[in-house]
Amino acid sequence: MAVGLLDVSPGAAVVLDGVRWTVERQEPHLGRVQLVTADGVREQVSFRFLVNHPGCRAATDTGAWGANRGRQEVSLRDLPDDKQRLVRLRFSHLMEVNTGFRSGDRLRPRPGEPKPEYDPDRTTLTPPAGEGR
């Protein structure tokens, strides 16, 4: 009988009797995990149940270990320099829209921040009550 590791960290995936489940959370002090399917079905099971169930195995298509299968983690440095600059620029735009500050940190504003149209004290991302999108 082959023995392997079963990743039960949050976000990892397991296959149980042919059904793919994602570990939503674990409660090690209680010896159990909360599993959820893609369509929202939740099931709470014990660690003992999972490791002893003959129809349980690690899903190899996702999860930190399964996705990389032991390879080096993906990094921003994997992109060419011009693409790294583009990613940083787009991220700073998203941070400015969400927080008013390109760094995302109101404690470290850049000159001219926040711009009036992005000032979190004067604007909001949600429409006023009664107005739908």
Side-chain angles (χ1 to χ4, degrees), residues 105-125:
D105 185 356
R106 72 171 36 245
L107 299 176
R108 296 183 320 170
R110 294 180 182 167
E113 287 185 338
K115 294 177 185 172
E117 61 269 27
Y118 298 121
D119 187 344
D121 294 331
R122 293 193 260 173
T123 62
T124 179
L125 291 173

Side-chain angles (χ1 to χ4, degrees), residues 17-38:
D17 289 332
V19 178
R20 187 178 184 288
W21 298 81
T22 301
V23 177
E24 188 171 52
R25 73 172 185 272
Q26 56 175 247
E27 298 171 314
H29 58 290
L30 299 173
R32 63 186 182 206
V33 295
Q34 177 80 33
L35 302 174
V36 62
T37 63

